[in-house]
Amino acid sequence: MDLLSLIPQFGGLIWTLLAFVVALSIIVAIHEYGHYIVGRWCGIKADVFSIGFGPVIWSKMDRHGTQWQLAALPLGGYVKFRGDANAASVGDDGTLDDMTAEERAQTMTGASLWRRAATVAAGPVFNFILSILIFGAFVVVSGRAVDAPVIGALKPLPAEVQTLQPGDEVLSIGGRPVTDIGEMTSVAADFVPAATLDYEVRRNGEVLSVEAAMPMPARVEVVTPRSAAWDSGLRPDDVIVAVDGRPIHSFPELQSIVFASEGRPLAVDVWRPDGGAGEELSVTLAPRSMDIPLAEGGFETRWLMGINGALFFEPVTERANPFEALGYGVDQTIYILRSSISALSHIITGQISTCNLSGPIGIAETSGAAASQGIDNFIWFIAVLSAAVGMLNLFPIPVLDGGHLVFHAYEAVRGRPPSDDAVRVLMTVGLALMGALMLFAVFNDLTCP
C-alpha cells in the first residue's frame, strides 16, 4: 500500500473532525450557557460549567464561585448546579441537609418550581435564539433582494452566453414581459431549452435587445454534502454542459433528465471556471433517491444529483432593517423545526426512508463538507444544527431537557415531584431509548448511500 496516497484522506478526516468539534462545541456552549445564565438570574448557583467530558485540561474559577473548564473529550458539555448529585441534575449530593433555607433556595433541588423549569427550558431556547440571530445576520450582511429584475454581479458562465451587464434591468425574456425577480425564475421553466434567449433590457436609460443564457442555466450553486454530486467532485460554479452527450442549457432541463434516470449512471460534461477560459472535465455519477420536503407539507421522493441551481446573476439587494432580519431568522428557524418534525413523523410511519436520520458520523461529514464550501456555509450549518439540537432536547424523554420539564409539569399538577425511585427508572428507560436511537443512527451512517 502507498502510504502517501493516504495523506489526502487523513487530512480530510482531520478537517471533518475539526469542523464537527467546532460546530458541536459552539452549539453546546450556547445551550449550556442558557442553563447557566438563566439559573443564575433565578438565584441558582452553578459549581461547574464544562465544555467536554473527562480529564480537565483548563479551568478557571469566576467571582460567582463557578469553575469554567475545558475537558479532554469535546463531545458535549454540562452545567453542574450546586447540590446536584450529577451533571444531569438528578438527585442531590447529600449536602442539602446541612444547608440553611437560604442556601437550599440556591440549589436546583431547593429552588422554586418555576425557577427550575425556566433554567431547564433555557438551554433549548438559547439554541433557537442562536439560530435566529445567525439567520438574521445573513440578511443584515447580504441584504435582501429587491423585487425589480435588475442584474447584479454576474456568476461565471461560458463567455459566449454571458452578454448581460450589471445594472441592466430586464424588461422581457423571449418576448414575455418580466416585472419582478420572481418571474425570471418561473420563466426559466417555461421555455424550450435553448443556448440563448432574447432579452429586452434597459441599460443606462436605453432599451436594448441582447441574447443571453437561459435565466436559470445548469450551473451548480450549492452542492449537497454526502450526495452523488459531492462524491463525484462537482463543486459550486461548475456549469453542466451535457449529459450522456446531450447538450444541456437550463437547470429545469437537467432536473427532468435526472428525475427520469431512476438512478442510472449519467456521464456529465462540466465547464469549470478555473483560470482564464475555464476548463472542461467529465464525471460519471448515479442520482440517488431522496425524500424532499414540500412547501405544503409532506415529502416527495425524487432522483437527485445533490445540487441546487439559481439565476445566473446575484440579484440587487437592499439593506434589511433589524426587524426584517429578525423576522427572517424566526421564519427560517420555524421552517427547520417544522421540516424536522415532519421528517421524523414520516420516518416513524414508514412514509419516507429511515436513511433521512443521520447520526454523529453523518453530522460530522456534513460539518466538514459545509466548512470546505466556505465560512458562510459552515455558519449556516451551525444555525441549522443548533435549531435541531434545541428541538431534540425538548423531546419528552428522561435525560433530555424535555423529560425534566415533564417532571416539573407533574410536580405542578400533583403538588410534589415524582419519587426518586420513579425518576431513576424513567432515567434508565430514557438512557436506553437514546442509546438505541444513537445506535440506529450510526447504523444508518454506515449503511445508507
Side-chain angles (χ1 to χ4, degrees):
M1 177 182 291
D2 182 5
L3 294 179
L4 291 178
S5 67
L6 295 178
I7 293 177
Q9 300 179 36
F10 182 72
L13 176 62
I14 294 297
W15 178 255
T16 294
L17 291 176
L18 179 61
F20 176 60
V21 168
V22 170
L24 184 64
S25 297
I26 291 172
I27 291 168
V28 167
I30 293 297
H31 180 96
E32 298 301 334
Y33 186 76
H35 290 314
Y36 164 79
I37 193 63
V38 172
R40 203 180 86 187
W41 291 341
C42 291
I44 302 173
K45 294 187 177 295
D47 289 334
V48 180
F49 184 108
S50 180
I51 299 300
F53 299 95
V56 176
I57 58 178
W58 175 89
S59 67
K60 180 180 180 180
M61 185 74 70
D62 70 9
R63 61 187 179 87
H64 299 287
T66 301
Q67 176 175 302
W68 297 74
Q69 65 184 39
L70 294 176
L73 299 176
L75 299 176
Y78 63 89
V79 176
K80 183 179 181 298
F81 290 100
R82 185 156 302 174
D84 288 349
N86 48 57
S89 295
V90 176
D92 64 77
D93 60 2
T95 63
L96 268 68
D97 292 339
D98 299 327
M99 293 183 181
T100 66
E102 181 180 355
E103 290 172 333
R104 284 177 60 89
Q106 297 173 347
T107 68
M108 277 292 279
T109 302
S112 62
L113 177 60
W114 76 264
R115 288 184 172 86
R116 284 179 279 139
T119 301
V120 170
V125 169
F126 268 54
N127 281 133
F128 299 146
I129 291 174
L130 175 63
S131 298
I132 292 168
L133 292 179
I134 290 178
F135 291 137
F138 269 87
V139 176
V140 171
V141 173
S142 303
R144 63 181 185 86
V146 301
D147 292 332
V150 178
I151 306 295
L154 295 169
K155 298 173 181 177
L157 285 178
E160 61 270 17
V161 297
Q162 189 63 285
T163 56
L164 293 173
Q165 298 179 9
D168 287 350
E169 180 184 358
V170 179
L171 304 177
S172 69
I173 302 176
R176 187 173 304 179
V178 172
T179 59
D180 62 55
I181 199 75
E183 288 182 350
M184 293 192 67
T185 302
S186 61
V187 163
D190 293 340
F191 284 99
V192 175
T196 60
L197 288 174
D198 293 327
Y199 285 70
E200 187 179 49
V201 301
R202 181 178 290 111
R203 180 182 298 169
N204 299 324
E206 181 181 0
V207 176
L208 303 174
S209 294
V210 298
E211 287 188 26
M214 298 286 289
M216 206 170 192
R219 176 186 167 278
V220 178
E221 183 75 14
V222 176
V223 183
T224 303
R226 306 179 71 206
S227 66
W230 178 266
D231 292 343
S232 71
L234 288 182
R235 63 194 196 199
D237 291 339
D238 284 349
V239 178
I240 295 173
V241 296
V243 175
D244 289 340
R246 170 183 166 180
I248 300 295
H249 302 297
S250 76
F251 197 82
E253 180 186 17
L254 174 65
Q255 286 180 307
S256 65
I257 293 174
V258 173
F259 292 168
S261 72
E262 297 186 345
R264 175 179 60 85
L266 303 174
V268 179
D269 296 329
V270 176
W271 177 85
R272 177 168 290 171
D274 285 348
E279 63 172 323
E280 295 181 358
L281 61 149
S282 297
V283 300
T284 299
L285 58 83
R288 297 173 185 171
S289 177
M290 300 181 70
D291 299 305
I292 307 301
L294 301 175
E296 62 274 15
F299 287 77
E300 180 180 20
T301 302
R302 302 175 187 166
W303 292 97
L304 298 175
M305 293 170 57
I307 64 175
N308 292 339
L311 296 169
F312 61 78
F313 62 91
E314 298 287 353
V316 173
T317 61
E318 61 184 10
R319 184 178 298 277
N321 64 51
F323 295 104
E324 292 172 328
L326 184 63
Y328 176 80
V330 171
D331 290 343
Q332 190 66 33
T333 301
I334 291 175
Y335 170 76
I336 291 169
L337 297 178
R338 290 179 57 188
S339 297
S340 299
I341 293 172
S342 177
L344 186 60
S345 65
H346 281 73
I347 289 173
I348 293 173
T349 56
Q351 298 180 58
I352 62 175
S353 170
T354 56
C355 287
N356 288 280
L357 180 65
S358 294
I361 297 174
I363 295 173
E365 290 179 353
T366 304
S367 300
S372 69
Q373 295 189 66
I375 186 65
D376 53 342
N377 283 298
F378 184 57
I379 293 174
W380 186 274
F381 169 76
I382 289 175
V384 173
L385 186 59
S386 181
V389 168
M391 180 196 72
L392 175 64
N393 271 278
L394 285 177
F395 286 177
I397 299 174
V399 311
L400 297 180
D401 293 331
H404 285 280
L405 291 175
V406 170
F407 293 155
H408 294 331
Y410 174 90
E411 182 178 349
V413 173
R414 296 295 303 273
R416 56 182 173 80
S419 67
D420 291 343
D421 289 340
V423 169
R424 279 194 291 270
V425 170
L426 290 172
M427 293 293 286
T428 301
V429 172
L431 282 171
L433 285 174
M434 293 303 298
L437 180 62
M438 181 65 70
L439 289 175
F440 182 71
V442 171
F443 176 79
N444 278 352
D445 291 339
L446 298 175
T447 59
C448 289

